[in-house]
Amino acid sequence: MSLIKDIYSRSFYQLLADQFGRVRSDFDGEQFITRIFSSDFDHMEWKQRTKHTTQTLHEFMPSHFPEAIALITQVVENLIAAGYSGGLEFIIFPDYIETYGIDHFETSVQSLEIITQFISCEFAVRPFIIKYKQQMITIMEQWACSPHAQVRRLASEGIRPRLPWAMAIPFLKKDPAPILPILDLLKNDLSEMVRRSVANNLNDISKDHPDILLTIAKNWKGIGRDTDGIIKHGCRTLLKQGHPEILYYYGLDGKDFEVSDLQIGTPYVKIGEYLTFSFQIENTHVHSKPLRLEYGLYYQKSNGLMSRKVFKISEKTYLSAEKNRIERRQSFKIITTRKFYIGKHKISIIVNGRETLEKEFELVE
């Protein structure tokens, strides 16, 4: 399996050199590629190669930023016209704006609007929001009305308070009010990727201001199926936390569901293998009831304490007296985003936000 850093291949750099040679006759493509493949290139990871490419490209560009970014923008427009799709390797273009354009507000904003139609610019826009605040928010309100879905998505995704893998925006985490008009403009967007971004933004907001999300959910309820979908996806963290008001909003009452016979099929789980478990769930009420069924996995931490992560099993309406046996498995394969520690772990069954039966198991080497 190839590594993510391998997207920066010789063929990619040859494409770059050819494209810049088309828009600037004195661009030294051969020397550019030579400088890219420095002695330590093979040892660089993906982010290092991204930054190295940005910095090396800068050495071959005009020193005046507006002139340099005009060339980059022309290259992007040519790539779009030629039918290229913007793969992750092209993140060097928004990175160039973020690195060298922060003091050139108008030029950078105009370029971001074009380049994001080729490769998403949500990381690059964040330093501009922090530095220029209301100026940048006003621009993003305008982007929310763009005829291009990628630009509308940038209006929502770029202003998320807690965008993963990106710098946070502290003033928006503290007070997300400037974000709300942008989300309101996009709540009926025709593009699924834009609506998903709105939902992710709402989910970010819910982590610091659940009351704001609850107000939005009530105001947007019933506007349409797609908007209802935005609300539901935006409420996912509160639902996993068992937030009482959001459970009530969705009519999720943990009473009248009986969980029994929780069985651990693998009481000793080796790192790299699977935990298997099963249990029985029954609706004991005389009427049908909605059920959001989840399980909580309590991971052992390095300090011996446990940290719970919630996983969704299903969400459906259970008929009166309906009874089901649920079987699931949970991977303990090594991943980059979580370190596993041997020792006692625990699993619990969650019914409409209410934690019910739980059992321990042991993770071993």
Side-chain angles (χ1 to χ4, degrees):
M1 181 182 294
S2 61
L3 301 174
I4 187 172
K5 67 179 183 179
D6 293 334
I7 61 175
Y8 290 116
S9 62
R10 184 169 291 274
S11 60
F12 168 70
Y13 290 116
Q14 187 63 59
L15 172 64
L16 276 188
D18 292 344
Q19 290 295 322
F20 278 99
R22 287 181 59 192
V23 298
R24 187 177 174 90
S25 59
D26 61 349
F27 184 87
D28 192 340
E30 184 176 339
Q31 185 60 26
F32 168 71
I33 293 175
T34 299
R35 286 280 294 110
I36 284 289
F37 290 103
S38 57
S39 58
D40 55 348
F41 182 85
D42 288 341
H43 302 288
M44 294 179 185
E45 296 303 324
W46 169 58
K47 287 188 177 181
Q48 292 174 307
R49 289 187 179 184
T50 298
K51 188 56 66 175
H52 170 65
T53 304
T54 301
Q55 293 170 344
T56 302
L57 180 61
H58 183 61
E59 295 175 15
F60 289 80
M61 299 293 279
S63 58
H64 187 49
F65 176 79
E67 187 178 351
I69 200 60
L71 294 175
I72 291 175
T73 303
Q74 184 60 60
V75 165
V76 168
E77 290 176 334
N78 290 346
L79 288 169
I80 293 173
Y84 284 91
S85 57
L88 186 59
E89 58 270 36
F90 289 103
I91 202 170
I92 60 169
F93 293 149
D95 186 60
Y96 195 99
I97 299 174
E98 178 182 349
T99 304
Y100 302 109
I102 193 66
D103 294 325
H104 301 268
F105 178 75
E106 291 187 4
T107 302
S108 294
V109 162
Q110 291 169 4
S111 298
L112 287 167
E113 184 174 356
I114 295 171
I115 291 173
T116 201
Q117 297 174 50
F118 180 67
I119 174 67
S120 184
C121 294
E122 66 257 31
F123 295 134
V125 79
R126 297 173 78 78
F128 290 87
I129 297 172
I130 291 172
K131 179 170 183 176
Y132 296 101
K133 292 187 173 65
Q134 189 53 53
Q135 282 178 272
M136 196 66 227
I137 290 168
T138 299
I139 292 294
M140 297 180 87
E141 288 177 354
Q142 296 170 8
W143 286 348
C145 300
S146 170
H148 302 287
Q150 299 97 325
V151 178
R152 300 196 304 274
R153 178 185 178 274
L154 179 60
S156 170
E157 195 73 6
I159 206 168
R160 285 177 58 180
R162 292 172 170 268
L163 181 65
W165 309 110
M167 64 175 66
I169 306 180
F171 79 93
L172 292 177
K173 286 173 63 177
K174 183 177 180 180
D175 179 11
I179 303 173
L180 304 185
I182 293 173
L183 302 187
D184 195 65
L185 286 168
L186 299 172
K187 66 180 182 295
N188 296 313
D189 202 276
L190 296 177
S191 168
E192 182 180 357
M193 72 173 178
V194 175
R195 297 195 304 270
R196 180 166 291 272
S197 177
V198 172
N200 288 336
N201 202 319
L202 289 174
N203 189 58
D204 283 2
I205 292 171
S206 76
K207 295 174 182 178
D208 300 297
H209 304 278
D211 55 320
I212 291 178
L213 179 53
L214 284 163
T215 298
I216 290 174
K218 292 172 184 175
N219 290 339
W220 290 7
K221 187 175 183 178
I223 290 176
R225 184 179 65 180
D226 289 337
T227 307
D228 287 342
I230 289 174
I231 297 169
K232 189 65 172 290
H233 196 55
C235 290
R236 64 188 183 274
T237 293
L238 294 184
L239 285 166
K240 286 183 177 182
Q241 292 172 348
H243 192 282
E245 289 186 62
I246 207 66
L247 292 173
Y248 178 80
Y249 176 88
Y250 283 108
L252 297 173
D253 178 2
K255 296 184 297 183
D256 301 313
F257 284 100
E258 183 177 319
V259 179
S260 60
D261 196 27
L262 173 58
Q263 298 289 331
I264 303 292
T266 50
Y268 297 93
V269 184
K270 289 184 178 181
I271 293 178
E273 298 185 352
Y274 289 88
L275 164 74
T276 62
F277 64 96
S278 65
F279 61 94
Q280 186 169 281
I281 179 79
E282 180 182 5
N283 176 14
T284 61
H285 199 270
V286 295
H287 298 296
S288 301
K289 294 190 68 174
L291 172 63
R292 180 183 174 92
L293 193 57
E294 300 165 304
Y295 63 94
L297 190 60
Y298 287 81
Y299 289 98
Q300 180 82 253
K301 296 167 64 177
S302 59
N303 60 6
L305 300 176
M306 288 187 173
S307 173
R308 189 183 80 165
K309 182 174 176 60
V310 175
F311 297 88
K312 185 177 178 182
I313 297 175
S314 63
E315 190 165 351
K316 55 175 283 189
T317 297
Y318 266 56
L319 302 175
S320 175
E322 182 175 350
K323 181 188 300 184
N324 286 308
R325 184 80 192 174
I326 307 296
E327 297 181 358
R328 284 293 184 276
R329 67 177 191 169
Q330 174 66 41
S331 173
F332 278 88
K333 290 185 177 180
I334 296 174
I335 55 177
T336 57
T337 54
R338 180 177 294 276
K339 181 174 176 61
F340 298 123
Y341 296 93
I342 61 172
K344 294 289 185 182
H345 289 57
K346 186 171 65 175
I347 191 167
S348 67
I349 308 305
I350 304 170
V351 175
N352 287 349
R354 179 174 63 91
E355 209 157 28
T356 60
L357 298 184
E358 60 182 44
K359 271 196 174 182
E360 288 187 340
F361 62 95
E362 191 161 349
L363 189 63
V364 298
E365 291 182 310

